[in-house]
């Protein structure tokens, strides 16, 4: 037997593999170093003119992108479903949501970035918002269109140009998005896809022509990108993982809370950063909640994501399936109780059974980590205060929701929960009109609303003195 160490080389292809059948759908050669260099050069060249394009012209192109998304949502939806396994109905909705995001920034960007008058000792002072240049976006597969559009729509409307390094398992979606912007009339070079692996990201961040980077993905990837951005002194936005709490108090409408809890856990086959993952229920109603919740989780239809009746499709990749399997297994080994599921489904494809765990020990993967799949963790609390304490005992702080009709509990939750989004009696969701992002290991910076478009602009302060020599220094 050879003792020689096998060195694993980075893959030189990016592939679409069906999560339903394991079949290789398409394979693409990674872009060579020369091709990447040409794309960065084109981005920098395009930016020099594109930054001067009027808001009205940019808006017209962004609205055309919205029309393409709406007109082609069925085809685009099928592509997403084939490539990463989300249900077709949710994929079609995702294309529609991207169109809404494009229109939102087409209609509001000029107002968000209008000059702002300020009062100083100068004759006139104001703030002008200007684009930064080529921005690199490193994106995940779970919402393969929405994650990209919620970066691209504000970035392009602000006058930046974008380079997308999408997740390696969704190259067809990545290329389709580039094509949509091109067909919408954006200049070649305004939005380009790089088919590359993660090992090539840091070199691009270090490139002087790249002005900023945004990453949506796992904590590990975020830490790596933030380190590279810090080293190169570049602006960086991170949208990372979450282990969102879903708190239920006795005054809540229990049936509505249960129905929403199930939906909030299995949305996107359980693979959403803002999916509810930890259900913290008041002792008084815990048994009732548990019974109803388990019954509803057991009734979910798992199957082909193209089928309109399917609630839960396959996980996106075999690695995601294996990772989830290990996390649940370890949690069970250290003492968690399985109320439902607890294993992969014995059939072709990356299927994991809807699962409910209780008595989760501290230090177990279900307690500490993010579970990306249809696995719910149940906890009990004696009051809202204790529920918040359990909720905050996490490295994450992305979304959170509380179900209560008690005003004092509501205020306590709003004030004390450590999260970027806090919803009452409803499911946490992204919406172009409100900022989206987290605290703690869920990242920093914000996407969406006017906050999102301000992340990648130079906030330039301008002071104009009277020509007859007014004082300029205010110290
Ligand atoms: P991931 O493995 O971190 O990948 C995300 C992106 O980062 C991919 O393009 C990936 O490329 C790239 N990447 C991975 N490691 C990297 C590194 N060391 N340096 C540079 N780039 C790197 O995450 P994922 O599995 O695709 O997505 C799931 C995660 O995203 C979950 O944690 C989820 O909560 C989080 N997420 C957060 C939000 C939010 O808004 N907060 C939204 C959606 C998802 P390759 O694919 O080529 O490896």
């Amino acid at each position: 037997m050879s003792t020689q160490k096998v060195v694993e080389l980075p893959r030189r292809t990016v592939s679409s593999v069906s999560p339903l059948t394991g079949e290789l759908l398409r394979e693409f050669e990674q872009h060579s170093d020369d091709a990447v260099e040409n794309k960065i050069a084109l981005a920098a060249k395009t930016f020099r003119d594109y930054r001067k394009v009027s808001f009205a012209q940019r808006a017209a192109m962004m609205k055309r992108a919205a029309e393409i998304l709406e007109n082609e949502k069925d085809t685009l939806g099928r592509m997403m479903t084939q490539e990463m396994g989300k249900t077709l109905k949710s994929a079609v909705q995702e294309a529609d949501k991207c169109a809404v995001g494009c229109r939102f920034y087409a209609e509001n960007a000029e107002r968000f970035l209008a000059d702002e008058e300020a009062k100083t000792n100068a004759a006139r002072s104001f703030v002008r918002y200007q684009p930064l240049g080529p921005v690199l976006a490193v994106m995940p597969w779970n919402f393969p269109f929405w994650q990209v559009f919620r970066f691209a729509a504000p970035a392009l409307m602000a006058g930046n140009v974008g380079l997308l390094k999408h997740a390696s398992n969704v190259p067809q979606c990545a290329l389709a998005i580039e094509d949509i912007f091109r067909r919408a009339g954006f200049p070649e070079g305004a939005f380009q896809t790089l088919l590359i692996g993660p090992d090539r990201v840091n070199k691009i961040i270090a490139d002087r022509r790249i002005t900023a980077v945004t990453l949506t993905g796992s904590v590990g990837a975020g830490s790596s990108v933030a380190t590279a951005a810090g080293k190169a002194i570049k602006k960086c936005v991170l949208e990372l993982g979450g282990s969102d709490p879903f708190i239920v108090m006795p005054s809540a409408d229990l049936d509505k809370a249960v129905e929403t809890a199930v939906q909030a856990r299995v949305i996107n086959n359980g693979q959403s950063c803002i999916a509810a993952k930890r259900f913290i229920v008041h002792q008084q109603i815990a048994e009732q909640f548990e019974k109803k919740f388990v019954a509803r989780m057991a009734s979910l239809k798992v199957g082909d994501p193209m089928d309109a009746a399917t609630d839960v499709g396959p996980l996106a990749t075999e690695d995601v399936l294996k990772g989830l399997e290990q996390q649940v297994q370890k949690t069970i080994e250290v003492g968690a109780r399985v109320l439902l599921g607890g294993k992969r489904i014995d059939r072709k494809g990356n299927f994991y059974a809807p699962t409910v765990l209780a008595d989760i020990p501290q230090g177990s993967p279900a307690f500490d980590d993010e579970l990306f799949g249809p696995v719910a963790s149940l906890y009990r609390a004696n009051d809202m205060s204790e529920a918040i304490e359990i909720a905050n005992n996490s490295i994450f702080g992305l979304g959170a929701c509380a179900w209560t009709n008690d005003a004092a509990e509501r205020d306590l939750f709003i004030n004390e929960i450590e999260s970027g989004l806090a919803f009452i009696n409803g499911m946490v969701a992204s919406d172009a009109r409100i900022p989206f992002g987290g605290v703690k290991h869920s990242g920093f910076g914000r996407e969406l609303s006017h906050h999102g478009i301000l992340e990648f602009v130079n906030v330039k302060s301008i002071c104009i003195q009277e020509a007859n020599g007014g004082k300029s220094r205010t110290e």
Side-chain angles (χ1 to χ4, degrees):
M1 205 173 81
S2 165
T3 53
Q4 208 177 347
K5 199 171 164 210
V6 179
V7 179
E8 210 173 297
L9 293 169
R11 282 194 356 254
R12 288 289 137 206
T13 53
V14 282
S15 326
S16 291
V17 175
S18 165
L20 181 66
T21 61
E23 177 199 353
L24 179 67
L25 302 172
R26 295 279 303 273
E27 195 165 30
F28 301 84
E29 277 295 314
Q30 279 198 25
H31 286 140
S32 65
D33 287 342
D34 283 350
V36 170
E37 163 55 32
N38 290 341
K39 283 173 189 289
I40 296 174
L42 180 61
K45 181 169 171 285
T46 304
F47 174 66
R48 286 199 283 277
D49 295 326
Y50 181 69
R51 64 189 290 273
K52 296 179 195 144
V53 170
S54 70
F55 278 109
Q57 282 173 287
R58 287 181 208 150
M61 294 185 278
M62 197 54 79
K63 284 181 183 167
R64 275 203 293 278
E67 277 161 25
I68 297 172
L69 285 158
E70 280 160 352
N71 293 340
E72 298 175 14
K73 64 184 176 190
D74 293 321
T75 320
L76 298 171
R78 291 185 88 78
M79 181 198 293
M80 290 184 229
T81 299
Q82 277 170 355
E83 208 163 41
M84 53 67 68
K86 68 168 59 212
T87 59
L88 181 59
K89 56 188 177 225
S90 65
V92 173
Q93 280 165 6
E94 182 168 333
D96 264 333
K97 188 168 182 167
C98 293
V100 171
C102 289
R103 287 215 164 83
F104 175 78
Y105 281 108
E107 283 158 14
N108 293 297
E110 186 167 11
R111 178 169 63 86
F112 290 155
L113 300 180
D115 287 351
E116 266 173 34
E117 296 299 317
K119 271 204 177 351
T120 69
N121 293 341
R124 186 183 169 211
S125 309
F126 63 99
V127 174
R128 176 158 293 172
Y129 298 105
Q130 294 185 311
L132 290 179
V135 181
L136 174 68
V138 183
M139 291 289 149
W141 46 262
N142 62 340
F143 291 92
F145 268 58
W146 175 233
Q147 301 294 355
V148 177
F149 274 90
R150 74 189 199 183
F151 149 73
L156 290 171
M157 281 308 301
N160 296 299
V161 298
L163 286 156
L164 168 68
K165 182 266 176 277
H166 215 328
S168 292
N169 57 323
V170 287
Q172 295 189 70
C173 289
L175 293 167
I177 294 168
E178 181 183 68
D179 187 50
I180 289 170
F181 283 120
R182 193 179 302 127
R183 283 191 285 144
F186 285 94
E188 210 195 334
F191 187 91
Q192 301 174 86
T193 284
L194 306 173
L195 294 179
I196 55 169
D199 53 309
R200 295 168 71 193
V201 166
N202 286 0
K203 188 174 166 204
I204 297 172
I205 294 172
D207 189 295
R208 284 181 63 181
R209 294 162 292 184
I210 300 295
T211 51
V213 57
T214 178
L215 175 133
T216 301
S218 59
V219 172
S223 171
S224 167
V225 160
T227 303
K231 198 165 168 206
I233 324 226
K234 291 195 182 158
K235 178 72 189 279
C236 148
V237 167
L238 300 179
E239 296 287 356
L240 308 179
S243 187
D244 285 11
F246 187 111
I247 296 173
V248 190
M249 290 287 121
S251 62
D253 176 337
L254 190 63
D255 286 336
K256 202 164 163 212
V258 169
E259 192 52 38
T260 311
V262 171
Q263 207 193 334
R265 179 54 284 207
V266 302
I267 186 171
N268 214 34
N269 305 337
Q271 306 157 120
S272 167
C273 52
I274 47 165
K277 291 164 189 142
R278 297 176 294 144
F279 298 84
I280 307 164
V281 184
H282 194 287
Q283 287 285 5
Q284 213 176 301
I285 50 161
E287 252 174 62
Q288 258 178 301
F289 179 91
E290 207 168 284
K291 235 162 104 187
K292 286 173 187 263
F293 183 75
V294 171
R296 185 67 188 89
M297 286 286 280
S299 74
L300 293 170
K301 187 172 182 313
V302 182
D304 183 343
M306 290 290 179
D307 184 343
T310 294
D311 299 305
V312 184
L315 299 179
T317 66
E318 209 186 335
D319 281 351
V320 174
L321 174 65
K322 282 184 183 156
L324 184 67
E325 211 178 9
Q326 283 172 11
Q327 285 174 312
V328 174
Q329 198 46 45
K330 278 187 194 154
T331 304
I332 297 168
E333 276 164 20
V334 292
R337 227 164 17 102
V338 183
L339 305 185
L340 181 73
K343 51 184 185 302
R344 72 161 75 191
I345 299 176
D346 188 17
R347 61 172 280 183
K348 196 154 80 169
N350 307 325
F351 286 95
Y352 198 86
T355 293
V356 184
L357 303 174
D359 303 336
I360 323 280
Q362 286 218 23
S364 66
F367 194 95
D368 289 336
D369 304 335
E370 177 181 32
L371 300 192
F372 230 48
V375 180
S377 302
L378 301 188
Y379 297 84
R380 293 183 181 200
N382 287 307
D383 54 24
M384 179 58 98
S385 219
E386 195 188 359
I388 293 169
E389 204 179 302
I390 296 168
N392 287 344
N393 189 7
S394 165
I395 58 163
F396 296 110
L398 190 54
C401 74
W403 288 70
T404 172
N405 286 309
D406 179 295
E409 284 178 356
R410 194 180 285 193
D411 284 348
L412 191 66
F413 172 74
I414 292 169
N415 288 328
E416 300 299 323
I417 195 75
E418 294 166 1
S419 65
L421 301 118
F423 282 44
I424 311 274
N425 297 335
M427 188 171 120
V428 177
S430 63
D431 181 322
R433 295 164 295 186
I434 52 170
F436 186 97
V439 294
K440 306 201 278 188
H441 277 41
S442 292
F444 49 75
R446 289 294 178 267
E447 291 188 301
L448 303 179
S449 78
H450 68 283
H451 291 272
I453 202 166
L454 291 176
E455 290 287 359
F456 297 119
V457 290
N458 174 15
V459 183
K460 189 183 271 182
S461 296
I462 297 145
C463 291
I464 304 172
Q465 301 298 348
E466 299 288 9
N468 62 5
K471 282 188 183 158
S472 69
R473 289 181 43 204
T474 52
E475 302 295 318

